[in-house]
Amino acid sequence: MRHKTWIKRGKAGVQALFIACLIFVYPPSTALSASATSKGKTKAAQKADAGEKKTASGLESGQSETPERSKNKTATPRKRSRSARAESSPITDVTSSTTGTLPVLIDKLIANAGASRWGVKVDVAETGEIIYEKNPSHLFVPASNRKLFTGALALDLLGPNFQYHTYLFRTGKVDASGVLNGNLVIKPQGDPTFSNTIVRNAPTDWIFRDWVTKVQAEGIKSVAGELVVDCSDWNMMDLTPKGWPTRIKSDYYAPQSSPLTLNENIIEIRVKPSAAGQPGIIEFIPPAEGYPIVNKTVTGAGKGGISVNRKADGHIEVTGAPSTRSTGQTYAVPCDNPTLFAAAVLRHHLHQAGIEIRGAVRILTTKSSSSAPRPENIIAVYISPSMAEIVKTMMKHSNNHFAEQLYISLSAIKSQAGGYRTSKQLENEFLARAGINTRELNFEDGCGLSLLNQVSPHHICQLLNYMMRHAAWPTFFDSLPVAGRDGTLRGRMRNDNIAQKVHAKTGLVNQVSALSGYLTLNQGRTLVFSFLVNDVHSSTGAVKSAEDHLCEILSLLSL
């Protein structure tokens, strides 16, 4: 079983019994993609396919049509509009192309797509021959084409078989009366899968529910100390990316990164009315004990309307007037302190099971010799799917949470100093090995939401060519969306002459569209290409259609 919680103790049959029960109660999904919601409740798994857009108005063509989380500035949650999944129409007036005719055809397509700034590079992987270039060395905002670098970096530094381990262990001993004279400690590695996305129809907090049973199996009835999250391998002051527009920071597709995650770092809040004139009732989903929130609601005051926002100083504030006739409404917003929230959820479950935590929930940021998981003190450990599966989920569905967690966790694992600054250093070393001049480009996040990211088509083609020679090449290639088949390209390029010949990463944010990857020709040759389009003043649909038609013309190329 790939996704499991491992038990340290040698208690006869306990591990086998747990795994058997887990298979029965929470059967693992065949992929990391999300399952359907229950009764309209929004889950973090549903947003995996929505990472491309900076607005909540719709999805990129080819993504799953799943309900959107509540829009925080309205009282009633809005649904994501269904994306138009129209097939790209065939190019009827072109039946073949050569290196001689190709430039005229491409120039015409780009001109017809509307006033935008294009960067294009196409070369032959086997020979290095450049087939077409347009502004190849100019810098562009790459949107989610940024994830090509994040995925390649993760596979290079940790390898396709790497698995995250999140430990629960104790300090001190358990006395005869069941008192743990010490702390319960969580030691996280930044695992992006620590949520309900890997198990179909399971509660968001299913791992914590299971951990409570492991604590009980240790004979622990109360904890004299604290519930500690050991974040000593992280720079907690360097977990905020640069260049994310302020307007997106309360949107579900821009979650904050953290050492310990839950529900992909989206906090769901249910707001219900109380007595008229009194503050509304706020509940966390799942319940979290002791997590701070600012409640400025007043029941029945005015015409109603609720707003849930993450403020500039990081705290979450709920304002508005829940109607006395309302039965309650659920809202979602990126969590301001995901690690603390996850620990608060575990504390709630422990108390529900009658296990008292006498101390506080504490985030440990300094190294401590007593705070280390050892065979004799480990209670349980959650082991993630392989890095190959995680990168595939990130790429296929353009999952921003996975991308950011991968990026910052690399430095925590490799350098015990998790954060953007150290990860950037590690990435620059990787890019130098790939022959890419790091002084010519810039990255400030892992997913592509930052407007400060700058890269050229030439740099992307360099990376794509390098990965074809990398030991992780099969995994990297397999992670990319496939035209007309899956991921964010499922609804694009579905014509017979191009479908499944393109393996590429999409990118879409405000006034930016991108598509970069590989195209397999009938002759068995492989084209490496990068289309970066900025300053889109026409419709993004027109630009995406032009990108698809570019691929179609390239597929007809005779070399």
Side-chain angles (χ1 to χ4, degrees), residues 10 106 143 146 176 221 241 287 296 303 358 459 482 500 517 544:
I106 293 179
R146 163 61 174 140
K221 298 178 180 178
K296 292 186 176 181
K303 297 181 179 180
R358 298 178 187 175
H459 296 134
V482 181
Q500 302 191 39
K544 287 163 58 179

Side-chain angles (χ1 to χ4, degrees), residues 1-6 32 158-167 189-195 197-198 206-207 211 261 381-391 402 406 409 413:
M1 182 176 176
R2 292 177 298 183
H3 321 310
K4 54 187 178 290
T5 302
W6 174 79
L32 295 183
L158 298 180
N161 297 323
F162 173 84
Q163 293 175 290
Y164 290 91
H165 290 62
T166 306
Y167 291 95
Q189 285 190 309
D191 181 0
T193 75
F194 199 87
S195 184
T197 53
I198 64 166
W206 73 270
I207 297 171
W211 279 11
T261 73
V381 56
Y382 168 76
I383 304 176
S384 77
S386 69
M387 182 59 72
E389 292 181 77
I390 294 171
V391 170
F402 275 43
L406 279 179
S409 66
I413 295 164

Side-chain angles (χ1 to χ4, degrees), residues 16 112 178 274 287 298 350 362 375 407 410 428 518 532 536 542:
N112 290 340
S274 60
V298 180
L350 289 167
R362 180 164 60 94
Y407 193 62
L410 291 171
N428 284 341
Y518 307 95
L532 300 180
V536 176

Side-chain angles (χ1 to χ4, degrees), residues 341-353:
F341 178 73
V345 172
L346 177 58
R347 178 172 180 154
H348 167 82
H349 283 304
L350 289 167
H351 279 191
Q352 286 292 103

Side-chain angles (χ1 to χ4, degrees), residues 8-9 11 168-185 214-225 355-358 374 376-379:
K8 175 270 304 184
R9 295 290 186 181
K11 298 179 177 66
L168 177 68
F169 64 98
R170 57 176 173 79
T171 63
K173 296 183 178 181
V174 183
D175 65 23
S177 62
V179 176
L180 170 60
N181 293 296
N183 300 324
L184 277 181
V185 183
K214 305 303 184 295
V215 173
Q216 291 173 319
E218 292 280 314
I220 298 173
K221 298 178 180 178
S222 67
V223 178
I355 301 171
E356 179 189 8
I357 306 289
R358 298 178 187 175
R374 299 183 300 274
E376 64 271 17
N377 70 355
I378 293 173
I379 296 173

Side-chain angles (χ1 to χ4, degrees), residues 51-348:
E52 298 290 349
K53 297 286 267 183
K54 272 195 175 180
T55 63
S57 59
L59 293 176
E60 182 173 8
S61 177
Q63 294 177 311
S64 297
E65 297 168 356
T66 51
E68 183 186 282
R69 292 182 179 274
S70 302
K71 188 69 174 174
N72 297 316
K73 295 181 181 179
T74 60
T76 303
R78 298 186 341 191
K79 302 291 185 180
R80 289 194 203 121
S81 62
R82 292 182 178 272
S83 59
R85 294 173 54 188
E87 300 181 15
S88 53
S89 58
I91 304 172
T92 57
D93 58 342
V94 178
T95 58
S96 65
S97 63
T98 66
T99 54
T101 62
L102 191 66
V104 174
L105 294 171
I106 293 179
D107 289 342
K108 182 179 179 180
L109 266 175
I110 290 175
N112 290 340
S116 304
R117 187 166 66 92
W118 283 72
V120 179
K121 183 169 184 179
V122 184
D123 63 47
V124 181
E126 291 78 9
T127 65
E129 177 187 2
I130 297 173
I131 299 300
Y132 179 87
E133 288 182 317
K134 183 180 182 66
N135 302 323
S137 298
H138 289 201
L139 295 178
F140 295 82
V141 175
S144 283
N145 272 205
R146 163 61 174 140
K147 294 183 176 77
L148 290 166
F149 292 82
T150 301
L153 178 65
L155 292 172
D156 179 81
L157 292 185
L158 298 180
N161 297 323
F162 173 84
Q163 293 175 290
Y164 290 91
H165 290 62
T166 306
Y167 291 95
L168 177 68
F169 64 98
R170 57 176 173 79
T171 63
K173 296 183 178 181
V174 183
D175 65 23
S177 62
V179 176
L180 170 60
N181 293 296
N183 300 324
L184 277 181
V185 183
I186 303 171
K187 180 73 171 179
Q189 285 190 309
D191 181 0
T193 75
F194 199 87
S195 184
N196 64 333
T197 53
I198 64 166
V199 179
R200 294 188 185 278
N201 301 319
T204 297
D205 52 353
W206 73 270
I207 297 171
F208 285 159
R209 296 184 186 208
D210 174 71
W211 279 11
V212 170
T213 66
K214 305 303 184 295
V215 173
Q216 291 173 319
E218 292 280 314
I220 298 173
K221 298 178 180 178
S222 67
V223 178
E226 300 171 309
L227 177 58
V228 177
V229 186
D230 182 358
C231 299
S232 57
D233 289 340
W234 301 76
N235 180 354
M236 299 298 285
M237 303 303 293
D238 190 31
L239 299 183
T240 302
K242 298 177 182 177
W244 283 19
T246 302
R247 68 179 182 275
I248 74 170
K249 292 183 179 179
S250 288
D251 285 323
Y252 71 92
Y253 54 82
Q256 186 167 319
S257 303
S258 61
L260 181 64
T261 73
L262 184 68
N263 199 30
E264 298 195 3
N265 288 350
I266 297 298
I267 187 169
E268 295 189 21
I269 299 169
R270 187 162 184 81
V271 182
K272 299 192 297 185
S274 60
Q278 297 299 310
I281 299 169
I282 295 178
E283 300 173 343
F284 293 110
I285 305 173
E289 184 173 319
Y291 187 79
I293 196 166
V294 178
N295 182 0
K296 292 186 176 181
T297 62
V298 180
T299 302
K303 297 181 179 180
I306 301 295
S307 179
V308 180
N309 287 291
R310 194 171 75 193
K311 307 302 288 184
D313 62 1
H315 76 268
I316 293 176
E317 181 179 276
V318 185
T319 59
S323 170
T324 55
R325 297 187 298 273
S326 172
T327 58
Q329 185 62 64
T330 302
Y331 300 85
V333 67
C335 191
D336 59 318
N337 191 332
T339 294
L340 182 63
F341 178 73
V345 172
L346 177 58
R347 178 172 180 154
H348 167 82

Side-chain angles (χ1 to χ4, degrees), residues 376-436:
E376 64 271 17
N377 70 355
I378 293 173
I379 296 173
V381 56
Y382 168 76
I383 304 176
S384 77
S386 69
M387 182 59 72
E389 292 181 77
I390 294 171
V391 170
K392 180 185 287 189
T393 295
M394 178 193 70
M395 294 285 212
K396 295 282 189 185
H397 305 291
S398 206
N399 188 299
N400 290 339
H401 168 72
F402 275 43
E404 294 306 309
Q405 289 295 134
L406 279 179
Y407 193 62
I408 63 165
S409 66
L410 291 171
S411 51
I413 295 164
K414 300 295 290 187
S415 303
Q416 289 72 55
Y420 285 96
R421 188 177 302 109
T422 309
S423 290
K424 194 171 186 176
Q425 294 172 355
L426 293 173
E427 182 174 25
N428 284 341
E429 294 170 4
F430 163 68
L431 294 177
R433 294 197 301 274
I436 299 172

